[in-house]
Amino acid sequence: MMNKARSMDLKSLIEALRQQQVIAYPTEAVFGLGCDPGSESAVQALLALKQRPWQKGLILVAADYAQLTDYIDDDALDDAARARIFASWPGPLTWVIPALPTTPRWLTGQYPSLAVRVSAFEPVRRLCLAFGKPLVSTSANLTGQPPARSADEVRKQLGAAFPVLDEAVEGRLNPSEIRDALSGGLIRQG
């Protein structure tokens, strides 16, 4: 029997994203599930797959800060907040920044802010640059299961045909630390 595992090339993954599909890709510590943040149907499919309530909000991961400016309120950041953020980026630190009023609720959930990260990890950067915008980023696992740390673990949880970028994670042990951009306060230990 032929192996139906879908290790997709970058072009195929970008096409899947454009068709509002959810994909899996390696991040700094675990595999992430991602989709087009501008597609409500793609985000709803991701939330349904994860059995995650929309109210929790999501993280966007980007190749550079400019990819985030359609979603976050840059004017809400003072010089100290900008200094904190840019001192840590690109890197594995996620910042919660006030969202623009136009940012969809399917991304922010019940919050007036959005969690965002500019990654230094090349597979994430390649995906975001090729797609031309940030990706939704949440751990690739079903509710109650551990986050996948390899493409094989993604396939075991989500199926052999799930579209996945089959590259190694960076090797960090914990998911990204999350901090509040305005106060610098810790939200989730990394």
Side-chain angles (χ1 to χ4, degrees), residues 1-122:
M1 186 162 111
M2 198 156 93
N3 184 356
K4 293 186 179 184
R6 287 177 69 189
S7 295
M8 299 177 78
D9 63 16
L10 186 63
K11 184 178 177 184
S12 300
L13 286 167
I14 298 306
E15 185 57 32
L17 289 167
R18 289 191 176 122
Q19 293 176 3
Q20 282 85 53
Q21 293 180 31
V22 178
I23 67 165
Y25 57 94
T27 70
E28 294 88 350
V30 298
F31 265 73
L33 290 179
C35 66
D36 181 348
S39 170
E40 184 175 8
S41 64
V43 172
Q44 294 303 330
L46 182 146
L47 292 172
L49 180 65
K50 288 272 298 181
Q51 299 175 356
R52 180 185 172 99
W54 71 271
Q55 293 90 342
K56 289 178 91 172
L58 293 162
I59 294 174
L60 294 187
V61 65
D64 55 50
Y65 187 74
Q67 288 190 330
L68 300 171
T69 57
D70 287 343
Y71 303 93
I72 57 170
D73 185 359
D74 183 68
D75 292 336
L77 301 173
D78 62 18
D79 290 342
R82 273 194 190 81
R84 279 193 292 273
I85 292 166
F86 293 128
S88 70
W89 279 352
L93 187 58
T94 297
W95 290 97
V96 175
I97 299 175
L100 289 171
T102 53
T103 301
R105 299 273 294 163
W106 65 76
L107 297 176
T108 61
Q110 65 183 346
Y111 303 103
S113 55
L114 184 64
V116 294
R117 180 170 80 251
V118 173
S119 182
F121 187 49
E122 267 315 300

